[in-house]
Amino acid sequence: MKVSNLAMILIPESTNVKTGNIIQSYSHRATCPNRCPLKGNGCYADSYYTSRQWDRCENEGDKRYIANGQGLMLNLMSAVAIHAKNGEDSVLFRHNIAGDIAIQNSDMIDGERLSTIVEACNKVSSTLDVNILGYTYTHCSLSMQNFKKVQEAQAKGFTVNFSCETIEEVKEVKRMDCNAVMTSVNPDETIKALKDDGLKGLQCPAQTIKGMNCKKCKLCARNRDAVIIFAVHGKDSNKAKKVIMLKTGKIS
């Protein structure tokens, strides 16, 4: 896959109970960084339905396939228009139900890719006069280069959440005024550990509140103090739990 090729699909409407009816996308597997501990080790995206959608990013013949910024802007404009007609003054766009924003075979954020996505969101937002709350997650490295790219995206209204597994990673992200999320085997224990370090943790409301979803919550799409914690989930959750416990030193 060429780095310059977005190789993604855009889904204008969703029946996903957890996210609610929001705009979603998937990016090619090659966008996932090498350092992600869940890559091939219990990633929720390897579940049947999600994986089947994800595979479509490899099919240039799929009608939803997007190769470049112009294609993304046109498809995003059509998707946003659907939601705007339904009376939504703020339209949620989760970039990457599966996939990431890394340069292929690296742990570095693809600045060109990220800028293309942010620019498309802003152009569509200004054209349609609709507030787009765009956001995504990344397992790319906690480097100064990556922090800078994320800060630039945040300044333009697009939220990038650094995915973490340890308290030390969270502290590093927060020191750089960026947003952090955590995958946890025991969310209550993680919230307490964060509090002991002067940090606020909150388990994903869609996992704890009946009827809550991303469309109602919007926390991950905003700059915030709180670290959002996700309980391990997916068909290979036991494998994922082991990976996280190894990384955090809970088991050896």
Side-chain angles (χ1 to χ4, degrees):
M1 186 191 76
K2 296 180 180 179
V3 173
S4 59
N5 185 352
L6 289 176
M8 59 179 280
I9 61 172
L10 189 78
I11 300 175
E13 296 185 279
S14 173
T15 56
N16 187 312
V17 174
K18 182 181 180 298
T19 64
N21 183 16
I22 65 174
I23 302 170
Q24 304 175 352
S25 70
Y26 291 74
S27 292
H28 196 289
R29 282 177 172 80
T31 60
C32 290
N34 296 328
R35 74 179 289 272
C36 177
L38 301 178
K39 190 175 182 178
N41 282 306
C43 175
Y44 76 91
D46 285 325
S47 63
Y48 174 70
Y49 177 76
T50 305
S51 182
R52 188 175 62 175
Q53 292 281 73
W54 202 4
D55 288 341
R56 294 178 180 178
C57 298
E58 301 175 31
N59 180 10
E60 294 186 28
D62 191 288
K63 63 181 180 180
R64 295 178 299 184
Y65 185 88
I66 296 172
N68 53 47
Q70 180 69 11
L72 175 58
M73 187 176 69
L74 292 175
N75 279 271
L76 188 59
M77 189 170 295
S78 295
V80 170
I82 292 172
H83 291 266
K85 286 179 181 178
N86 292 333
E88 298 176 35
D89 52 3
S90 290
V91 177
L92 207 61
F93 166 40
R94 175 173 169 177
H95 177 55
N96 290 344
I97 295 296
D100 207 302
I101 51 175
I103 295 172
Q104 187 172 358
N105 296 320
S106 81
D107 296 322
M108 298 302 298
I109 290 175
D110 185 338
E112 180 183 352
R113 172 180 292 274
L114 182 56
S115 294
T116 298
I117 294 161
V118 174
E119 183 179 353
C121 287
N122 288 339
K123 282 187 176 179
V124 172
S125 182
S126 60
T127 301
L128 298 181
D129 193 25
V130 175
N131 181 32
I132 299 176
L133 294 176
Y135 69 108
T136 193
Y137 306 87
T138 184
H139 256 114
C140 286
S141 64
L142 307 183
S143 66
M144 289 305 298
Q145 297 99 314
N146 284 342
F147 283 133
K148 183 177 179 181
K149 291 170 186 175
V150 167
Q151 289 165 350
E152 290 173 350
Q154 289 178 176
K156 295 177 181 178
F158 189 90
T159 303
V160 180
N161 296 279
F162 279 99
S163 297
C164 306
E165 287 78 41
T166 69
I167 303 296
E168 288 306 311
E169 288 176 336
V170 169
K171 288 163 70 174
E172 191 171 353
V173 171
K174 298 306 291 182
R175 276 196 296 268
M176 299 304 297
D177 291 325
C178 292
N179 295 289
V181 298
M182 286 187 76
T183 305
S184 172
V185 173
N186 187 326
D188 289 337
E189 184 180 285
T190 300
I191 289 171
K192 183 179 183 302
L194 286 167
K195 186 176 180 180
D196 291 342
D197 269 302
L199 296 166
K200 181 180 180 181
L202 174 70
Q203 187 175 351
C204 168
Q207 292 185 333
T208 60
I209 302 174
K210 186 176 181 179
M212 182 57 70
N213 56 38
C214 298
K215 184 172 184 175
K216 295 176 182 177
C217 176
K218 298 182 175 68
L219 275 176
C220 288
R222 303 183 188 279
N223 288 321
R224 60 190 186 275
D225 291 329
V227 178
I228 308 302
I229 301 163
F230 298 101
V232 177
H233 58 286
K235 72 177 181 68
D236 288 327
S237 59
N238 287 334
K239 185 186 291 186
K241 286 178 181 178
K242 185 176 180 180
V243 169
I244 293 171
M245 291 174 75
L246 282 167
K247 183 171 179 178
T248 56
K250 298 292 184 181
I251 58 174
S252 58

